[in-house]
Amino acid sequence: MESNSYDAALEGQVAAVRGFSRFYTRKLGIIEPKLLHSTFTLQEARVIYELAHSENCTATDLVRDLDLDAGFVSRTLAALQRRQIVSRKPSKADKRVNEVALTAKGRTAAADLDSRSRSEVGALLKQMDSDRRAAVVRAMGTIEQSLEPPTEKPVGFLLRSHRVGDMGWVISQQGRVYAEEYGWDISYEALVAEICAQFLRSFDPACEHCWIAEVDGEPVGSVFLVNGGDGVAKLRLLAVGEKARGLGVGRALVEQCIRSAREMGYTKMTLWTQSILVAARGIYARAGFQRVKEEKHHSFGVDLVGETWELEL
């Protein structure tokens, strides 16, 4: 009797989960031929999202991380490559393996998909009051943790204050990475140099700070907290090197910046970023920042959409 009772309960639970799955996919428009009224299918969008948040990614990595068939991933990448969304190049670590990355056009597409998704989900959540929204998010967290308990990643980095020589690394790192990954010209490196020079010239430890992230004694990330006046702190020059991506370095740098700003007595924090910087924007959003302004501009040799984000402290 106990076994039959359990089976009956399980059947009811299976039906409930399947029903919720149908409701959820319909509500988010996942079953539409093109996701979020874009030109991409759901699976293409998943690949684009994964590449936007990954470094040194291969087709094998996508198969594993997205739990997709290898043949399907290969066909999807070929289609995206024909549309100039992705490119492939031999891996520096193993020339026999090709790494897959988003092109400039692909990064623009990723930013557009991210914006569409935020708007779609935001519209759903705005229909609820704050208590109901919080309850929905908690329920989703419970589902995720129950179906796939998170695995702890070892933290192999530390944060420290800046010291002599670090600004040279920041300038070099920012200039090189943004040129290689986004096609920005040397005027961006010049801007970073000016920001670093101004920081050193007027540095006030009572209300400003720079943190450097290290892995195995080498700098891999940085962020600046500077005084914007009128009780407003500015978060500037967040950067994480290729070696440290995926370790949580960016999140740790932003969280440290926020904690220190509160301790220093700031009432608001603001930052300026670009729509194509999907990974950084995700960190800001998860930290509680709100996008308050966006504006198209031509800087660093490319067309961009600048965004201002704010956080009440």
Side-chain angles (χ1 to χ4, degrees), residues 58-312:
T58 67
T60 301
D61 295 329
L62 291 172
V63 169
R64 181 193 65 237
D65 296 340
L66 297 177
D67 193 22
L68 293 173
D69 174 73
F72 179 83
V73 169
S74 178
R75 291 190 296 274
T76 300
L77 288 175
L80 291 175
Q81 189 169 14
R82 286 193 296 271
R83 296 173 63 180
Q84 299 181 326
I85 299 297
V86 304
S87 63
R88 307 190 204 205
K89 64 179 181 180
S91 168
K92 294 179 181 178
D94 186 347
K95 299 297 183 183
R96 298 169 299 177
V97 177
N98 281 330
E99 292 179 355
V100 188
L102 293 177
T103 61
K105 182 179 178 181
R107 288 189 290 271
T108 299
D112 178 64
L113 285 168
D114 182 71
S115 178
R116 289 171 183 264
S117 178
R118 288 174 60 85
S119 297
E120 190 95 356
V121 175
L124 283 175
L125 294 177
K126 285 179 181 177
Q127 300 173 19
M128 315 172 201
D129 59 33
S130 59
D131 290 341
R132 187 171 291 273
R133 286 200 299 267
V136 167
V137 172
R138 285 196 300 271
M140 288 180 169
T142 299
I143 292 171
E144 184 176 359
Q145 292 173 19
S146 298
L147 295 178
E148 189 172 287
T151 56
E152 292 295 327
K153 286 187 176 181
V155 179
F157 64 90
L158 62 85
L159 304 185
R160 62 167 175 80
S161 300
H162 71 282
R163 58 194 182 208
V164 174
D166 283 332
M167 295 303 149
W169 176 84
V170 170
I171 296 166
S172 173
Q173 170 76 3
Q174 292 256 353
R176 181 182 62 80
V177 168
Y178 282 92
E180 291 179 356
E181 298 186 6
Y182 300 100
W184 294 7
D185 64 24
I186 201 168
S187 65
Y188 177 68
E189 187 171 348
L191 173 63
V192 175
E194 291 170 3
I195 293 172
C196 290
Q198 179 62 33
F199 177 81
L200 291 177
R201 278 195 296 264
S202 60
F203 177 55
D204 182 352
C207 58
E208 296 181 316
H209 207 97
C210 168
W211 289 271
I212 301 294
E214 282 190 351
V215 170
D216 298 330
E218 296 181 10
V220 295
S222 62
V223 73
F224 290 71
L225 169 63
V226 299
N227 186 0
D230 298 323
V232 177
K234 285 187 176 182
L235 186 155
R236 307 198 76 174
L237 299 181
L238 173 67
V240 178
E242 301 95 321
K243 179 179 179 179
R245 291 176 186 172
L247 297 178
V249 172
R251 183 181 69 250
L253 286 167
V254 170
E255 289 175 351
Q256 179 63 61
C257 213
I258 293 171
R259 282 196 300 271
S260 294
R262 287 176 174 145
E263 292 169 359
M264 292 174 180
Y266 287 107
T267 58
K268 180 188 291 187
M269 178 172 282
T270 183
L271 64 88
W272 186 61
T273 188
Q274 309 302 319
S275 63
I276 60 172
L277 305 181
V278 178
R281 292 166 75 252
I283 293 173
Y284 302 143
R286 287 189 290 274
F289 282 87
Q290 300 290 322
R291 184 178 55 187
V292 297
K293 181 182 178 182
E294 61 180 15
E295 185 176 6
K296 294 181 179 179
H297 64 104
H298 184 85
S299 302
F300 321 128
V302 294
D303 292 325
L304 296 167
V305 178
E307 298 179 343
T308 300
W309 293 59
E310 292 182 351
L311 173 68
E312 296 294 334

